[in-house]
Amino acid sequence: MNFNQSFKNFIAPEIVLVFVTMIWGGTFLAVHYILNYTTPMFFVGCRFLIAGFILLFFTFKQLKNINKNDLIAGILIGGVLAFSYGLQTIGLKTITSSESAFLTALYIPLVPILIWIFYRKLPNIFIWIGVFSAFIGLILLTGNSFNGINFNSGQIYTLLSAIGIALEIILISKFAGKVNLKRVTVIQLLGASIFCFLFMPFVGETELPDISWQFIVITVGLGFASTLIQFSMNWAQRTVDPSRAAIIYAGEPVWAAIFGRLAGERLPFLAIIGGVFVILGVLISELKPKTRTVRDSIGN
């Protein structure tokens, strides 16, 4: 294989993740809008149900070969998907799409921290500096001061969702290359949908909302987006290190802020500075090259 072909094979998954990040950033505004017509957990459940059936239509014949590893990977990833997207959507009821995107981006420096907790791989000094920068950004972004930190419920739900997304990235990398990509993606999407519907009573959603045309159009559209996002992440992270992927995902709140700005959202000046600190924290945390890849650490 010549150099040009090797370069193309290396860069293609990263380009895919860049486009996925752009689409992901645009979904924040759409979700923020649709919450005027539905409830959070029911919407997320429907979104993943549609996404799962879309992919099922194209991969039905392959499902007959599902094995134990496919089921375990799909159920685990589906569980954290329901947790993260459900809480993130609940948070969007009370905060703007731009703020939600920047807060969600905190999952990126969380990835190496969680790898340290679970796999005893000590983060380097740049990661700690990045986490500190992201923390400063968090304080400014949420309108708090260091004299009295007080997060509202929407911010808390969104921060918790960031932990779920960090776990999703780690799980995808752990199972990548060991399971069938299409089968696992179907299982995780349908599993996330089931989990969301089961969680509805626990978040106060005891009655089904009315079904409007706005709900149908946006839910179907985001269902297609979820299929593309989840399948692309699973495919690309077979070769892209999770921390490297996390750097690419750092563009997600930037795209969300651009779309939010176009829609008329205006973040306070300090919140914008906070968002910059979050992004800097993300980038700083990955400055030092690793002698042993994170994938090697979490794959054993």
Side-chain angles (χ1 to χ4, degrees):
M1 183 180 294
N2 59 37
F3 173 80
N4 289 334
Q5 186 63 41
S6 299
F7 177 76
K8 290 179 181 178
N9 290 340
F10 171 75
I11 203 68
E14 298 189 347
I15 293 176
V16 168
L17 289 184
V18 170
F19 280 104
V20 164
T21 300
M22 186 186 304
I23 296 172
W24 193 358
T27 62
F28 281 84
L29 187 62
V31 174
H32 192 266
Y33 172 78
I34 197 58
L35 289 178
N36 294 314
Y37 301 95
T38 186
T39 54
M41 202 63 72
F42 176 73
F43 160 72
V44 177
C46 291
R47 173 182 178 178
F48 283 130
L49 183 65
I50 293 171
F53 275 113
I54 291 171
L55 188 58
L56 182 63
F57 178 79
F58 294 102
T59 60
F60 180 76
K61 292 183 179 179
Q62 298 188 27
L63 294 183
K64 62 181 180 180
N65 297 319
I66 288 178
N67 57 43
K68 181 180 178 181
N69 288 336
D70 293 335
L71 284 172
I72 292 174
I75 292 173
L76 288 177
I77 297 173
V80 296
L81 269 179
F83 174 84
S84 57
Y85 276 76
L87 291 182
Q88 181 190 78
T89 306
I90 293 173
L92 274 166
K93 293 174 64 177
T94 55
I95 62 177
T96 67
S97 62
S98 301
E99 183 180 357
S100 175
F102 279 112
L103 291 176
T104 302
L106 290 169
Y107 72 81
I108 299 170
L110 279 175
V111 169
I113 298 298
L114 290 178
I115 289 175
W116 172 43
I117 293 174
F118 294 138
Y119 299 99
R120 299 296 187 267
K121 180 178 175 60
L122 186 65
N124 60 60
I125 185 62
F126 288 99
I127 290 175
W128 292 116
I129 295 174
V131 170
F132 178 75
S133 176
F135 177 74
I136 299 298
L138 169 64
I139 300 302
L140 298 176
L141 181 62
T142 53
N144 288 281
S145 66
F146 293 100
N147 293 327
I149 299 176
N150 182 28
F151 300 135
N152 64 41
S153 60
Q155 293 165 345
I156 292 174
Y157 284 130
T158 307
L159 289 172
L160 290 174
S161 76
I163 298 176
I165 297 176
L167 289 172
E168 178 194 356
I169 293 175
I170 293 173
L171 285 173
I172 288 174
S173 292
K174 180 175 180 63
F175 290 109
K178 302 177 183 179
V179 294
N180 181 276
L181 173 63
K182 295 179 181 178
R183 293 198 296 260
V184 168
T185 306
V186 170
I187 295 170
Q188 74 185 52
L189 289 171
L190 294 179
S193 175
I194 294 172
F195 281 125
C196 285
F197 292 138
L198 292 175
F199 290 158
M200 284 177 60
F202 298 98
V203 296
E205 298 182 26
T206 55
E207 296 182 0
L208 295 179
D210 295 331
I211 305 299
S212 63
W213 69 265
Q214 293 95 335
F215 173 81
I216 294 174
V217 170
I218 293 181
T219 303
V220 171
L222 288 178
F224 275 97
S226 294
T227 304
L228 177 62
I229 290 171
Q230 295 304 317
F231 186 81
S232 298
M233 287 177 65
N234 287 358
W235 173 79
Q237 284 194 233
R238 291 182 303 174
T239 54
V240 180
D241 185 89
S243 294
R244 177 68 175 171
I247 296 176
I248 298 173
Y249 297 149
E252 167 260 316
V254 177
W255 287 110
I258 292 173
F259 290 123
R261 180 78 178 184
L262 293 175
E265 290 185 356
R266 298 293 184 269
L267 287 174
F269 177 74
L270 282 181
I272 295 175
I273 298 300
V276 172
F277 269 95
V278 169
I279 299 302
L280 285 176
V282 168
L283 299 177
I284 291 172
S285 67
E286 294 302 324
L287 279 178
K288 185 177 181 180
K290 301 174 177 61
T291 56
R292 182 171 181 240
T293 67
V294 178
R295 184 181 304 283
D296 294 334
S297 299
I298 67 179
N300 296 325

